[in-house]
Amino acid sequence: ENLEKARRQARIKLGWKEKDYFLLFATTVTDRYKDKMLFPVQEELDSFSTMNVYESIIDIFAHRPDLFLAFKFRPHDILAERTRTIIYESNLENILVHMHDLKVLLSAADVVLITRSNAGFEALFYDIPVVQYRFPGKPIYLPLKGLGIFL
């Protein structure tokens, strides 16, 4: 009951409708320093590859106006502005970009999508289903499957 009340209050604060279905994508930060570093095992995607993934997700939601997507970026993420521009230029009202208020976003979300974000663990505290996307050929840093707690 407390989680449901917190969910309603969070959706009011965000301006989300109660009946709408929201997927929160808690992104992994891409910054200009990390993007220029050479990783010996290439454990992370570069910004170009990561943006391709974001664009694919945007494309899926562009064809599903009945579903809502909220990207959650950290303030210094270099892909946030490009993502916001794509959404704006495509006139997609069902896709939002947020930079702050992870607690409020988690309270309001129906499901959380992560790649490597710790927000997946935080979502579990709110009893929210977590979907973990694994980049092909890249290791998983948050082994939720091994814990038996992911979709």
Side-chain angles (χ1 to χ4, degrees), residues 4-72:
E4 197 56 39
K5 181 180 177 184
R7 181 178 185 273
R8 282 192 304 275
Q9 290 173 341
R11 283 182 173 235
I12 289 168
K13 181 176 182 176
L14 293 167
W16 298 1
K17 295 178 182 170
E18 182 63 31
K19 63 179 178 60
D20 292 335
Y21 190 87
F22 271 90
L23 181 139
L24 173 62
F25 182 15
T27 64
T28 300
V29 69
T30 302
D31 62 38
R32 61 185 174 153
Y33 303 109
K34 184 168 48 173
D35 202 39
K36 293 180 181 185
M37 295 169 65
L38 296 175
F39 289 91
V41 195
Q42 293 296 318
E43 296 174 345
E44 299 193 29
L45 293 181
D46 58 43
S47 59
F48 180 78
S49 301
T50 302
M51 194 67 224
N52 283 338
V53 172
Y54 294 174
E55 287 176 0
S56 296
I57 292 170
I58 290 169
D59 187 55
I60 290 168
F61 279 80
H63 294 91
R64 292 293 309 265
D66 57 320
L67 299 177
F68 291 82
L69 170 66
F71 280 90
K72 167 53 177 96

Side-chain angles (χ1 to χ4, degrees), residues 70-100:
F71 280 90
K72 167 53 177 96
F73 288 98
R74 292 191 179 113
H76 59 282
D77 196 310
I78 63 174
L79 299 180
E81 194 56 40
R82 175 71 185 137
T83 302
R84 187 179 277 124
T85 299
I86 290 170
I87 294 165
Y88 176 78
E89 290 176 352
S90 301
N91 197 29
L92 299 172
E93 296 181 7
N94 63 323
I95 304 176
L96 311 167
V97 173
H98 292 274
M99 304 295 284
H100 304 287

